[in-house]
Amino acid sequence: MLTRRAALARLALTGAAVTGVGLTASCSTGSGDGSADGGGAGGGSGQPLRISAIPDQDPDALTEREEAFADHLASVLDIDVEYVPVPDYAASVSLFGAGDLDLVFYGGLTGVQAQLQNPEATIVAQRDIDPSFTSVFIANAEAGIDPVDSVEGLSVMAGKRVTFGSETSTSGRLMPSYFLSQAGVAESDLAGEPGFSGSHDSTIELVTSGSYEAGALNSQVWQARMEEGSIDTDKVIEVLVSPEFHDYHWLLRGDADARFGDGFTQQLTDAMLTMHESEEGRAIAESYGAQSFIPAKAEDYQQIEEVARELGLIG
């Protein structure tokens, strides 16, 4: 039998959550009644803070992580917080723009897309690993691709069947395409149309099975799966870890103070930047693959925007 969390995630991935209402995982209520009686950070809005994240990995793991994050914010800020699953990366951007999501954990590219559409939005934090993020190129062991020691060596990908992650994934498509272009390999130089697996875990599975000869994904996910022993290293190999770039961050809607009370944006920012100071908060940071959350600003993602424009992924 599916757990409630698994059922919610499955519904999201089949597109049922695209309206942004009705399928929220109603995670938590603050320790008081702030959202109902005017107390707490909610300022009497009577509405929950709706959080979400791009669906870049196993939906059960994603739901568990985001519900724990929602519980913690509800406790610290004394407001209702709901996790709203989304079916794909594009939905996270459109729902944020429509006002159906308040705080979203975006990859670099989707965050840039969302902020270009909503310039009043605020980047409130990033993980301590995000200023030095990387992608990893992998290959099926039977594909005839050996590990390389530089971006230039990625020329071996020409003429191979390659899958990326989501079409708008920073570490699973945008930056890998950029690094391939630096090696003289355009997407048109690959064998057939490139694949788009939809998530980093799926990329590993497709390359391991031989459905694609090679792929690119988030290094953090790759390393985590290696450490847990879920990757068959007889069937898939690491080809290259890319140079570093900025990636994930949290984006908050610009009307948050109007909805939740003056100073709410700063209260939320402070709560996130000090989360690692408690045992529960450290556990949540670790679930994101980090030790702490740190300040971030729009300028950190200028390279992402420039590469996206160069590759025609934003206008």
Side-chain angles (χ1 to χ4, degrees), residues 88-104:
D88 53 45
Y89 285 42
S92 73
V93 176
S94 62
L95 290 171
F96 185 82
D100 293 320
L101 300 175
D102 301 308
L103 177 69
V104 181

Side-chain angles (χ1 to χ4, degrees), residues 41 49 69-79 81 103 124-125 250 263-278 280-282 284-285 292-294:
L49 178 73
F69 182 53
D71 285 340
H72 185 80
L73 289 181
S75 175
V76 172
L77 298 174
D78 194 19
I79 60 173
V81 182
L103 177 69
V124 294
W250 280 270
F264 176 77
T265 298
Q266 189 60 54
Q267 291 176 50
L268 173 64
T269 301
D270 291 344
M272 293 186 67
L273 297 184
T274 59
M275 190 172 293
H276 63 283
E277 295 176 2
S278 71
E280 177 185 282
R282 282 194 300 275
I284 290 170
S292 65
F293 303 146
I294 63 175

Side-chain angles (χ1 to χ4, degrees), residues 141-205:
E142 302 298 323
I145 300 173
D146 294 322
V148 299
D149 58 10
S150 68
V151 167
E152 290 73 22
L154 291 174
S155 59
V156 298
M157 297 291 181
K160 300 295 185 180
R161 291 177 289 108
V162 175
T163 184
F164 298 107
S166 167
E167 293 186 60
T168 52
S169 169
T170 304
S171 56
R173 193 281 177 89
L174 177 71
M175 296 309 292
S177 289
Y178 171 68
F179 294 127
L180 284 171
S181 71
Q182 289 190 316
V185 181
E187 290 184 8
S188 59
D189 295 323
L190 304 175
E193 293 293 323
F196 294 103
S197 71
S199 76
H200 303 298
D201 289 311
S202 295
T203 296
I204 297 172
E205 292 171 4

Side-chain angles (χ1 to χ4, degrees), residues 28-312:
S28 33
T29 304
S31 57
D33 294 325
S35 62
D37 65 11
S45 70
Q47 301 175 13
L49 178 73
R50 297 155 302 187
I51 71 167
S52 194
I54 55 171
D56 61 349
Q57 56 181 290
D58 175 78
D60 287 349
L62 184 69
T63 299
E64 183 175 1
R65 184 190 74 186
E66 293 302 309
E67 288 187 346
F69 182 53
D71 285 340
H72 185 80
L73 289 181
S75 175
V76 172
L77 298 174
D78 194 19
I79 60 173
D80 290 342
V81 182
E82 291 180 347
Y83 166 52
V84 183
V86 296
D88 53 45
Y89 285 42
S92 73
V93 176
S94 62
L95 290 171
F96 185 82
D100 293 320
L101 300 175
D102 301 308
L103 177 69
V104 181
F105 184 53
Y106 280 120
L109 176 55
T110 43
V112 166
Q113 290 174 325
Q115 189 152 50
L116 287 172
Q117 295 177 27
N118 305 274
E120 75 287 353
T122 301
I123 297 177
V124 294
Q126 63 185 331
R127 302 170 301 176
D128 57 4
I129 62 175
D130 284 313
S132 54
F133 212 77
T134 58
S135 297
V136 60
F137 291 85
I138 62 175
N140 185 276
E142 302 298 323
I145 300 173
D146 294 322
V148 299
D149 58 10
S150 68
V151 167
E152 290 73 22
L154 291 174
S155 59
V156 298
M157 297 291 181
K160 300 295 185 180
R161 291 177 289 108
V162 175
T163 184
F164 298 107
S166 167
E167 293 186 60
T168 52
S169 169
T170 304
S171 56
R173 193 281 177 89
L174 177 71
M175 296 309 292
S177 289
Y178 171 68
F179 294 127
L180 284 171
S181 71
Q182 289 190 316
V185 181
E187 290 184 8
S188 59
D189 295 323
L190 304 175
E193 293 293 323
F196 294 103
S197 71
S199 76
H200 303 298
D201 289 311
S202 295
T203 296
I204 297 172
E205 292 171 4
L206 289 169
V207 175
T208 301
S209 70
S211 297
Y212 287 89
E213 294 172 289
L217 67 143
N218 174 325
S219 291
Q220 180 203 18
V221 171
W222 171 257
Q223 189 59 41
R225 301 298 173 266
M226 287 288 285
E227 290 174 358
E228 68 187 25
S230 62
I231 294 176
D232 187 342
T233 54
D234 290 330
K235 294 182 178 180
V236 62
I237 65 168
E238 180 179 302
V239 177
L240 178 72
V241 175
S242 76
E244 296 176 350
F245 52 88
H246 273 273
D247 202 347
Y248 292 77
H249 55 277
W250 280 270
L251 192 64
L252 177 70
R253 279 186 56 83
D255 61 358
D257 281 12
R259 291 185 58 228
F260 298 105
D262 290 344
F264 176 77
T265 298
Q266 189 60 54
Q267 291 176 50
L268 173 64
T269 301
D270 291 344
M272 293 186 67
L273 297 184
T274 59
M275 190 172 293
H276 63 283
E277 295 176 2
S278 71
E279 183 176 351
E280 177 185 282
R282 282 194 300 275
I284 290 170
E286 289 171 2
S287 74
Y288 284 89
Q291 295 299 310
S292 65
F293 303 146
I294 63 175
K297 55 188 183 300
E299 291 78 8
D300 294 337
Y301 300 92
Q302 186 63 41
Q303 180 195 24
I304 299 297
E305 181 177 347
E306 291 172 356
V307 171
R309 292 189 187 282
E310 181 180 326
L311 297 179

